[in-house]
Each structure stands twice: as structure tokens, then as C-alpha cells.
Amino acid sequence: MRTTFLGHELQSPVIVGSSPASFGADAMIRCHEAGAGAVVCKTINRRAAENPDLHMVLAGKETLINCEKWTDFPMERWLSAEMPQAVAAGVTCIASVGHSVEDSRLCVERLEDIGVVAIELVSYADDTVLPMLEDTKRRVDIPVIVKLSPNSADLMGHARRCVDAGADALTACDSIGPAMRIDIETGKPLMGGADGCGWLTGAAIFPFTVARIAALRQVLPDVPIIGLGGITSWQDGIEFVMAGADMMGVASAAIIHGPVFIARMNARVDAWCAEHGVRELEEMRGRVLEHLPVEQDRGYEMGFDYAACRHCNQCVTACAYRARSFDEVGYAVVDKALCRRCGLCVSVCGFGALAVERGAVR
Ligand SMILES: Cc1cc2nc3c(=O)[nH]c(=O)nc-3n(C[C@H](O)[C@H](O)[C@H](O)COP(=O)(O)O)c2cc1C
Ligand code: SF4
Ligand code: SF4
């Protein structure tokens, strides 16, 4: 599905976040060819990063911890080779620049001249973002995006201050941390940095990001938002949009599965939208806000679909209150005196045999 973002018509709403998936021109071109609407390059800094050995590890299902710094290419290489090559290949390039005004002032004008469509500013500390933003806005005419840190003590306040200072869009959000995993055979941290820690990305942070996007959309209804943080399926992308995002950002999934993830995601998002009569993302953007605050008396009823049930017993096991059982002919029974209406049994059924909403009861 084509979409428009910051005045540019893009081949899809999937945007690749700054990461190894966009570490140089070749990687950016691969993402573009797989259908990415735009690609944010690995963060450019005046110094090339040196990373410790062992700086990326799979830390759970579709979840990574990394202590990788910014790009390990010198700034000049981005300006004279990587970015011009990506732009010439037709990639819609967004230049990630960090982490202080001493870095951004050295490159943003040249990046604009090369043809990037926007600058994304990122920093490890909120107070370095505003000077970078103000300086960059003076130097370039292209949109300037601020990447928010979920580790900020005042994420919403910081977001507002960035918008007031001229940010044209926000990326929500960066990685969460610090995070640590330990090899239990050696007792050593899995991350190779001195503190043994890294930053959490991928599936584990998805619900956190959804909440942040929805909160931002509530207070900043008109600011373009790149949702980023935890997408590992096409459904996640739709959820981001329903939370209020304009773009579906992907980093870890594009690293773990490669750029083919982008192609698959786009195909499934398009199919779902066609099935649901959605012609433009705008039609479902922020849909969750229509349901907030959540109505408190929804009259839930438990529904059961005998034909769908595989009698795996998962719903019975997961009910801590022992409210679920099956009768002698295999029909689900809920003891209403014990049931707390927590909803867990419904969500653990992998076969869609249980329902809670009135009207969905079968
Ligand atoms: C290995 C790795 C390196 C990253 N490097 C950068 C970076 O240089 N600059 C940046 O702004 N974000 C960086 N990120 C963060 C991603 O852009 C993104 O915000 C984060 O991974 C959450 O998205 P995801 O859950 O889809 O991975 C990196 C992420 C990973 C996994
Ligand atoms: S979890 Fe679903 S499929 Fe399994 S027994 Fe319960 S209702 Fe049936
Ligand atoms: S809603 Fe909660 S308490 Fe009720 S049967 Fe399901 S798991 Fe048990």
C-alpha cells in the first residue's frame, strides 16, 4: 500500500529503523528493493564507532539485546559514498544523526544536498536533543524528525518540547534498557561491553511501544509519528497504526529475518486492508483512541466454539482460579462463582475457540 509521509509518496508504510539492517548503502538498497517505504541509515556521528566483540544477542523470542553504538563508518564515507549511492539507487533515505550539535552541524546540510528526505536526530540524553534540533532546523529545509528515547524520565514532556521547537515528526521509540542476559554455564554476561549490558529491542518491547504511541497520539493529534519498537509481524504494524502511528518501523525483525520480512509484511498488510475495505492507513490511524477511556461495564459473556476446540486443556491450566472445566461431552464450563473475568483463558486459546465479547458469543 502506498502512503504519504512528510510530503513524500512512499511505496509502503514500512520504514526501516536505524540499525545493522541499514548499516550502509547496500543494506539500505536491499531494504528498498524488499519494499521499504523509507530507510533510516545507521546513526552518523563525527567519530566512527568501535564496538566490543559480542554486541548483539538473541535474548528471547524475536527479541534482541545489543550494545552496538552508532555507525562504524567515518562520517565522510556516508557523505561521499554510502548516502549518495543509496539515494542514486532510488532509496527514500532518512539520515539518522547523533548525538550532539557538534555532530549534526558537521553533516546535515550536506545530507540535504545529497537528497535525503529528512534528518532523524537521536541522542542518549534528552537535553542534547533540543540544541541539535534548533541548530538543524536553522541549517536545513527538509523535515527534521526526533527519535524519542523510551528511557526518558519525561517522555511526553520531552516530545512536546521537541514539537514546540520545530520537530516535524517523532519516532517512537528507541531501544529500552539497560538490559542484561547471563550465560549460566560461565556466569558471564552475554553482552561484550564493559558493563555487560545492552538495549532491548524486538518482540519484548512491542506492547510498551504501542502504549507510548497511543499516549503521544492523544496529546499530539497532528504530529506525524513513526512507530518503532517491537514489530515482529504484519499484525503488529496494523496495531501501531491503530495506536496512532503513521509509519510502521522495523529494525530487529529486519535483522533477524532479513529484508524479506519487509516484503512479507507489506503483502500481508495489503491483503488485510483489502479484506477490511481499508484503502488508506489514515482510515484506521489512531482507531484505539475511539475506545479510550475503556468502557467499564461491557457485559462480558464467555463464548465457546465446540467445533474449534482441540481439547488441549490450555484454558483450564491457565485459570489460576480453577473456574474452567469441561463437561462429559466436551463442552467448556465456567464456574461463575469462581471466575474473576480476567480474560486470560480466552487469550491463551490458540484455536479461537473462546470469546468474551457479547455478540461474539457462539
Ligand atoms: C543492533 C541494533 C543497533 C541499533 N543501532 C541504532 C543506531 O545506530 N541508531 C539508532 O537511532 N537506533 C539504533 N537502534 C535502535 C533501532 O533503530 C530501533 O529503535 C529499536 O531496535 C526498536 O525497534 P525494533 O524493536 O523494531 O528493533 C539499533 C537497534 C539494534 C537492534
Ligand atoms: S484452550 Fe481452546 S482449544 Fe484448548 S481446550 Fe481450551 S477452548 Fe479448547
Ligand atoms: S476469565 Fe480468568 S478466572 Fe475466568 S475462567 Fe477465564 S482464566 Fe479463569
Side-chain angles (χ1 to χ4, degrees), residues 17-20 42-43 56 64 66 68-71 96 120 122 147 173-175 201-202 205 228-231 249-253 255:
S18 176
S19 68
K42 183 79 188 155
T43 300
M56 216 191 312
L64 297 176
N66 83 88
E68 181 176 290
K69 297 172 186 161
W70 50 95
T71 179
S96 170
E120 181 182 85
V122 62
K147 186 170 190 179
C173 298
D174 211 330
S175 330
T201 65
I205 71 170
L228 176 64
I231 285 186
V250 178
S252 297
I255 298 169

Side-chain angles (χ1 to χ4, degrees), residues 290-300 357:
E290 296 164 19
H291 302 286
L292 293 175
V294 176
E295 201 184 319
Q296 289 305 290
D297 183 13
R298 292 195 282 184
Y300 278 148
E357 290 282 4

Side-chain angles (χ1 to χ4, degrees), residues 39-167:
V39 184
V40 184
C41 75
K42 183 79 188 155
T43 300
I44 302 171
N45 184 280
R46 65 186 186 282
R47 287 165 294 135
E50 281 180 38
N51 292 305
D53 288 351
L54 305 180
H55 56 259
M56 216 191 312
V57 66
L58 194 65
K61 193 166 181 290
E62 308 258 350
T63 296
L64 297 176
I65 296 180
N66 83 88
C67 61
E68 181 176 290
K69 297 172 186 161
W70 50 95
T71 179
D72 54 9
F73 291 159
M75 182 181 276
E76 190 50 41
R77 176 163 169 178
W78 275 104
L79 298 173
S80 57
E82 303 294 333
M83 200 61 92
Q85 193 188 330
V87 169
V91 183
T92 301
C93 296
I94 296 177
S96 170
V97 176
H99 300 89
S100 71
V101 73
E102 284 71 38
D103 302 293
S104 56
R105 68 185 169 82
L106 296 177
C107 62
V108 291
E109 285 126 320
R110 282 180 68 190
L111 287 163
E112 179 177 40
D113 291 344
I114 289 165
V116 305
V117 300
I119 305 285
E120 181 182 85
L121 298 174
V122 62
S123 176
Y124 296 114
D126 284 355
D127 56 4
T128 53
V129 174
L130 286 176
M132 243 197 312
L133 174 61
E134 284 155 6
D135 185 72
T136 302
K137 287 295 289 182
R138 278 194 294 273
R139 290 175 186 274
V140 300
D141 294 324
I142 52 175
V144 181
I145 305 165
V146 170
K147 186 170 190 179
L148 300 171
S149 167
N151 309 302
S152 165
D154 177 20
L155 184 110
M156 305 308 288
H158 178 60
R160 270 184 193 281
R161 284 188 286 280
C162 290
V163 171
D164 291 345

Side-chain angles (χ1 to χ4, degrees), residues 339-361:
C339 175
R340 308 298 207 277
R341 298 154 77 86
C342 69
L344 181 63
C345 52
V346 176
S347 69
V348 298
C349 176
F351 303 101
L354 300 177
V356 279
E357 290 282 4
R358 182 174 281 159
V361 175

Side-chain angles (χ1 to χ4, degrees), residues 20-41:
S22 57
F23 83 93
D26 286 348
M28 295 173 78
I29 292 167
R30 279 197 297 277
C31 292
H32 166 75
E33 288 174 349
V39 184
V40 184
C41 75

Side-chain angles (χ1 to χ4, degrees), residues 239-354:
E239 212 171 314
F240 267 12
V241 174
M242 288 193 176
D246 297 271
M247 295 289 289
M248 307 169 178
V250 178
S252 297
I255 298 169
I256 296 168
H257 302 289
V260 71
F261 177 84
I262 299 162
R264 288 198 201 118
M265 182 167 162
N266 272 325
R268 300 298 299 273
V269 166
D270 288 358
W272 187 92
C273 287
E275 274 168 32
H276 291 75
V278 175
R279 283 151 304 163
E280 292 178 17
L281 291 191
E282 182 60 29
E283 294 167 28
M284 57 179 180
R285 187 170 71 105
R287 184 175 291 172
V288 75
L289 304 188
E290 296 164 19
H291 302 286
L292 293 175
V294 176
E295 201 184 319
Q296 289 305 290
D297 183 13
R298 292 195 282 184
Y300 278 148
E301 294 285 345
M302 287 294 174
F304 174 63
D305 183 341
Y306 183 86
C309 178
R310 307 288 167 87
H311 294 285
C312 67
N313 228 36
Q314 179 61 67
C315 54
V316 175
T317 307
C319 179
Y321 307 104
R322 305 183 67 82
R324 271 210 175 271
S325 59
F326 283 88
D327 68 15
E328 60 285 355
V329 289
Y331 267 85
V333 177
V334 176
D335 183 335
K336 290 196 171 174
L338 296 176
C339 175
R340 308 298 207 277
R341 298 154 77 86
C342 69
L344 181 63
C345 52
V346 176
S347 69
V348 298
C349 176
F351 303 101
L354 300 177

